[in-house]
C-alpha cells in the first residue's frame, strides 16, 4: 500500500469513526448510564426502606463538578450501614452528574475522562455481586442485597433481579464502548500527527523516511509548532514510525484500516427494530417516575400539615371542639392555586381538593411502580395488550403527568407564599422532583416518537410492497 494512499485512507477512516461515535455510540452510552442510574436509585431506595443502608445526610451539600473515585477501603460489618450508605450515595450522585452534566462527545471525553469513568464503573462489580468478591464495596452491596431478598415480596425480588441484571449489562456495554473510544482517541492523536506534523510545509518526509531515528527526530523538530496544545506521546509516535517504516508495516496498516472500517459495517446492520419492545421501554421508563411522584406526595403532606397548624386561633379551636361534640367530619382542605400554561403563559385559578389530589398522586405512584420493572405482573399485563392500545395508554398517561406537573408546581408556589414567615423555612420545595419527572417525560417522548416513526416507516414500506409487515 502506498504511503500517501494509507495516510489519506486512515485519516478518512478516523474522521468517519469520530462521527460514528458522536452520533451513535456515545448517545447510546449516555442512555446506558441513565438506565443504570434508574436501577441504582431503585435499588438504593429499596435498601434504605429496609434500613440496610443509611443515606449520606450531607448528600445535598456536596457539589459534584467532576468524576471522582469512590473510596473502596475495608469496613467492618457494624460500619456497613453507614459507610456503604455514604459510598452508595456518592456513587449515585456522580452517576447522576455523568448522565446530566457531562457532554458525551469525542472532543469532551478525552483519555483522562475515560480513565475516570472506567474507575467509577469499577466501584461495584455488578457482574459478580457475591459476598466473597475481592473488593469491599462489592462484598458489602452483595450482603445488603442478600438481606433485602430475605422474605421480600415478589415485586421486590423481581426489582432486585432486574436492576442488578440491567446494571451488569449496562456497565459492560459502557466499559466496552469506553475502551473502544480510548482506542479511537489514540488513533485520532496519531492522525493529528499525520495531518499537522507530516503536513507541515517544513517537514521533510524524505529526511524522515531514512530511518526510524530520523523520523522521530523530524517529528520532534516540528511537533511543538504543528501541535502547540498537545503533549508529545512518544509511545504513539513510535507506533506511527512502525506503521511507516517497520518491517511489518503492510500488516499494521491493513489491520488498522480493517479495525475502523469494520465499525462502519456493523453500524449498518441494525435495521430490524422490535417496535413492541421500543414501546414497552417507553412505558417502563414512564413507570420509573413513581419514586419522584411519591416524594412529591410526602412533601406536600408535610407542607399541608405546616399550613394547617397555623390555623390555631380561638375561633379555629372552638370550631374543632363543636365538630368533635357533634361527631362531624372536618371540612375538606381546599387550596386555591394559580395554574400557569407553559406554552401561552396564561394563568387560571383552580381549586384543589387536597385529600383527593394526594390520594390520586399516591395511587399513581403505586401504579407506576407496578410496571417500572420488566416481568412484573403490571408490566406483563400492559405488554399483553395490542400496540395501538398500549400507545393510547402511554399518550394518555403522559397527558395526565403533564397536568399533574402543572398542578403540583402551582401547589408548590402556594405553600411557599402562604406559609407564615416563621414557618417558611420548613416548607419543602419540589423543584428537583418536578425536574426529574420532566426529564423522564422527555425520555418517554423520545421513545414514543421513535416508535411512531418506525411504525410509519413500516406502513410506507408495506404500501410500496417492499415488506410483508403490517
Amino acid at each position: 500500500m502506498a504511503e500517501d494512499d494509507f495516510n489519506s485512507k486512515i485519516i478518512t477512516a478516523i474522521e468517519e469513526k469520530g462521527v460514528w461515535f458522536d452520533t451513535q455510540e456515545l448517545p447510546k452510552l449516555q442512555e446506558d448510564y441513565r438506565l443504570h442510574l434508574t436501577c441504582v436509585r431503585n435499588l438504593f431506595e429499596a435498601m434504605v426502606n429496609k434500613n440496610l443502608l443509611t443515606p449520606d445526610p450531607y448528600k445535598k451539600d456536596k457539589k459534584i463538578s467532576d468524576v471522582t473515585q469512590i473510596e473502596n477501603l475495608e469496613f467492618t460489618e457494624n460500619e456497613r450501614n453507614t459507610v456503604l450508605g455514604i459510598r452508595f450515595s456518592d456513587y449515585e450522585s456522580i452517576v447522576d452528574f455523568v448522565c446530566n452534566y457531562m457532554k458525551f462527545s469525542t472532543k469532551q471525553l478525552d483519555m483522562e475522562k475515560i480513565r475516570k469513568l472506567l474507575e467509577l464503573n469499577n466501584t461495584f462489580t455488578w457482574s459478580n455481586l457475591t459476598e466473597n468478591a475481592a473488593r469491599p464495596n462489592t462484598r458489602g452491596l452483595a450482603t445488603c442485597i442478600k438481606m433485602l431478598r430475605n422474605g421480600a415480596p415478589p415485586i421486590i425480588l423481581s426489582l432486585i433481579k432486574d436492576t442488578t441484571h440491567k446494571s451488569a449489562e449496562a456497565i459492560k456495554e459502557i466499559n466496552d464502548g469506553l475502551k473502544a473510544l480510548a482506542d479511537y482517541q489514540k488513533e485520532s492523536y496519531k492522525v493529528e500527527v499525520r495531518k499537522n506534523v507530516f503536513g507541515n510545509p517544513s517537514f521533510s518526509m524524505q529526511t524522515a523516511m531514512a530511518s526510524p531515528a530520523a523520523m522521530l527526530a523530524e517529528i520532534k523538530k516540528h511537533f511543538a509548532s504543528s501541535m502547540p496544545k498537545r503533549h508529545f506521546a512518544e509511545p504513539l509516535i513510535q507506533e506511527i514510525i512502525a506503521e511507516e517504516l517497520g518491517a511489518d508495516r503492510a500488516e499494521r496498516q491493513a489491520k488498522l484500516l480493517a479495525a475502523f472500517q469494520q465499525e462502519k459495517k456493523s453500524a449498518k446492520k441494525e435495521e430490524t427494530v422490535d417496535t413492541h419492545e421500543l414501546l414497552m421501554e417507553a412505558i417502563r421508563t414512564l413507570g420509573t417516575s413513581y419514586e419522584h411522584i411519591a416524594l412529591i406526595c410526602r412533601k406536600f403532606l408535610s407542607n399541608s400539615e405546616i399550613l394547617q397548624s397555623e390555623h390555631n386561633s380561638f375561633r379555629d379551636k372552638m370550631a374543632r371542639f363543636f365538630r368533635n361534640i357533634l361527631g362531624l367530619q372536618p371540612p375538606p382542605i381546599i387550596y386555591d392555586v394559580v395554574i400557569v400554561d407553559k406554552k401561552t403563559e396564561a394563568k387560571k385559578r383552580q381549586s384543589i381538593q387536597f385529600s383527593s389530589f394526594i390520594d390520586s398522586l399516591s395511587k399513581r405512584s403505586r401504579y407506576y411502580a407496578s410496571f417500572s420493572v420488566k416481568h412484573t405482573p403490571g408490566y406483563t399485563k400492559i405488554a399483553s395488550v395490542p400496540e395501538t392500545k398500549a400507545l393510547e395508554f402511554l399518550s394518555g398517561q403522559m397527558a395526565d403527568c403533564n397536568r399533574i406537573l402543572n398542578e403540583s408546581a402551582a401547589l408548590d408556589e402556594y405553600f411557599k407564599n402562604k406559609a407564615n414567615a416563621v414557618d417558611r423555612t420548613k416548607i419543602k420545595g419540589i423543584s428537583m422532583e418536578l425536574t426529574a419527572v420532566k426529564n423522564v417525560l422527555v425520555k418517554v417522548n423520545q421513545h414514543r416518537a421513535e416508535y411512531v416513526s418506525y411504525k410509519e416507516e413500516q406502513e410506507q414500506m408495506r404500501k410500496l410492497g417492499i415488506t410483508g409487515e403490517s
Side-chain angles (χ1 to χ4, degrees):
M1 183 183 298
E3 304 305 331
D4 288 345
D5 187 39
F6 169 71
N7 274 318
S8 62
K9 283 186 177 180
I10 195 60
I11 289 171
T12 300
I14 289 294
E15 289 174 348
E16 288 179 348
K17 188 160 187 182
V19 172
W20 178 82
F21 267 109
D22 285 331
T23 59
Q24 296 188 52
E25 183 67 0
L26 292 182
K28 178 181 175 297
L29 291 192
Q30 190 171 32
E31 283 304 308
D32 285 336
Y33 265 122
R34 285 172 176 160
L35 170 61
H36 178 55
L37 178 61
T38 299
C39 293
V40 166
R41 284 176 170 165
N42 289 342
L43 190 59
F44 192 36
E45 182 182 28
M47 290 189 291
V48 169
N49 288 341
K50 286 291 184 180
N51 296 317
L52 297 173
L53 290 181
T54 300
D56 182 1
Y58 303 105
K59 179 178 180 178
K60 291 184 178 179
D61 297 329
K62 293 179 178 178
K63 303 300 180 186
I64 309 296
S65 59
D66 194 10
V67 177
T68 54
Q69 190 172 2
I70 306 295
E71 194 175 61
N72 216 332
L73 299 176
E74 296 285 351
F75 51 84
T76 66
E77 186 175 342
N78 291 336
E79 295 174 320
R80 182 178 58 238
N81 188 298
T82 53
V83 172
L84 191 61
I86 290 172
R87 292 179 186 179
F88 208 92
S89 290
D90 288 345
Y91 180 75
E92 185 268 329
S93 295
I94 296 173
V95 174
D96 179 75
F97 170 80
V98 169
C99 291
N100 297 304
Y101 296 98
M102 279 189 68
K103 185 170 178 61
F104 277 65
S105 70
T106 52
K107 288 184 178 179
Q108 295 295 322
L109 293 181
D110 56 22
M111 294 298 291
E112 179 62 15
K113 284 183 178 155
I114 292 171
R115 181 189 65 77
K116 288 181 178 181
L117 288 173
L118 289 171
E119 283 181 351
L120 174 68
N121 297 348
N122 201 33
T123 303
F124 301 98
T125 309
W126 294 96
S127 59
N128 185 33
L129 286 173
T130 59
E131 293 177 277
N132 59 357
R135 297 167 71 83
N137 287 348
T138 302
R139 288 201 304 272
L141 181 58
T143 301
C144 288
I145 289 174
K146 181 180 178 181
M147 296 168 70
L148 184 62
R149 284 196 177 103
N150 290 336
I155 189 170
I156 296 297
L157 292 174
S158 179
L159 180 142
I160 295 168
K161 181 180 178 181
D162 192 63
T163 53
T164 53
H165 175 70
K166 281 188 176 298
S167 287
E169 284 190 332
I171 291 298
K172 182 183 183 304
E173 290 288 327
I174 292 167
N175 284 343
D176 288 346
L178 290 175
K179 288 170 185 174
L181 179 62
D183 290 338
Y184 161 80
Q185 294 291 20
K186 291 175 183 176
E187 297 304 328
S188 180
Y189 175 91
K190 288 159 63 178
V191 158
E192 280 188 65
V193 174
R194 292 178 181 279
K195 287 170 66 176
N196 298 324
V197 180
F198 288 6
N200 189 318
S202 301
F203 184 86
S204 173
M205 184 58 77
Q206 183 177 0
T207 301
M209 294 298 286
S211 69
M215 179 168 284
L216 179 60
E218 190 70 8
I219 292 174
K220 282 184 175 179
K221 179 181 175 182
H222 297 90
F223 187 88
S225 60
S226 302
M227 299 174 63
K229 295 182 180 181
R230 297 288 254 161
H231 71 284
F232 188 84
E234 185 155 344
L236 297 179
I237 301 297
Q238 290 291 354
E239 286 185 21
I240 295 174
I241 294 171
E243 289 158 8
E244 295 293 332
L245 297 172
D248 60 345
R249 62 182 179 277
E251 291 81 359
R252 283 176 176 268
Q253 292 177 4
K255 185 178 179 181
L256 197 56
L257 283 173
F260 289 102
Q261 291 169 347
Q262 183 181 357
E263 201 65 73
K264 288 168 58 183
K265 291 175 185 175
S266 64
K268 294 178 181 178
K269 287 181 181 177
E270 269 185 62
E271 297 198 359
T272 303
V273 175
D274 186 341
T275 53
H276 182 267
E277 179 62 27
L278 186 60
L279 180 58
M280 288 309 300
E281 181 62 18
I283 291 172
R284 189 202 62 77
T285 301
L286 176 67
T288 63
S289 64
Y290 79 91
E291 58 181 326
H292 308 300
I293 296 173
L295 191 52
I296 290 172
C297 190
R298 292 196 292 271
K299 286 186 174 183
F300 277 168
L301 283 169
S302 173
N303 293 345
S304 183
E305 285 180 9
I306 292 170
L307 247 63
Q308 294 308 306
S309 70
E310 295 176 352
H311 301 304
N312 209 24
S313 65
F314 177 76
R315 182 177 179 181
D316 294 324
K317 291 177 181 178
M318 290 301 297
R320 285 196 293 269
F321 174 74
F322 283 114
R323 280 199 302 271
N324 289 336
I325 290 177
L326 299 172
L328 300 175
Q329 292 293 323
I333 299 171
I334 296 175
Y335 295 123
D336 294 320
V337 302
V338 177
I339 305 288
V340 179
D341 188 310
K342 299 299 181 183
K343 293 182 179 178
T344 63
E345 297 296 324
K347 297 180 180 180
K348 68 171 183 177
R349 291 196 170 274
Q350 181 175 321
S351 296
I352 293 181
Q353 213 274 33
F354 187 68
S355 62
S356 297
F357 182 73
I358 288 296
D359 185 52
S360 173
L361 279 184
S362 181
K363 285 180 179 177
R364 186 173 298 273
S365 174
R366 292 195 299 272
Y367 181 46
Y368 282 7
S370 73
F371 59 79
S372 64
V373 178
K374 281 187 175 182
H375 311 305
T376 56
Y379 180 93
T380 304
K381 183 178 180 181
I382 299 172
S384 66
V385 304
E387 285 186 25
T388 52
K389 292 290 185 183
L391 180 61
E392 184 179 322
F393 165 80
L394 177 64
S395 299
Q397 291 299 320
M398 290 181 68
D400 287 346
C401 278
N402 280 310
R403 173 181 55 79
I404 289 170
L405 285 177
N406 286 339
E407 292 174 349
S408 296
L411 195 53
D412 183 45
E413 282 299 312
Y414 181 91
F415 286 136
K416 291 174 181 175
N417 294 330
K418 292 295 182 179
N420 290 336
V422 69
D423 290 328
R424 203 155 289 165
T425 57
K426 301 176 186 176
I427 296 295
K428 298 176 180 178
I430 61 164
S431 59
M432 289 181 64
E433 289 73 25
L434 290 176
T435 299
V437 176
K438 287 175 185 176
N439 288 340
V440 169
L441 290 178
V442 168
K443 289 169 63 178
V444 172
N445 198 46
Q446 288 172 347
H447 287 311
R448 182 178 66 169
E450 193 176 352
Y451 167 82
V452 171
S453 175
Y454 277 121
K455 292 299 287 186
E456 289 176 350
E457 183 180 340
Q458 287 180 359
E459 180 62 18
Q460 288 296 322
M461 298 282 277
R462 187 191 66 80
K463 289 180 177 179
L464 293 171
I466 298 174
T467 178
E469 291 179 12
S470 58

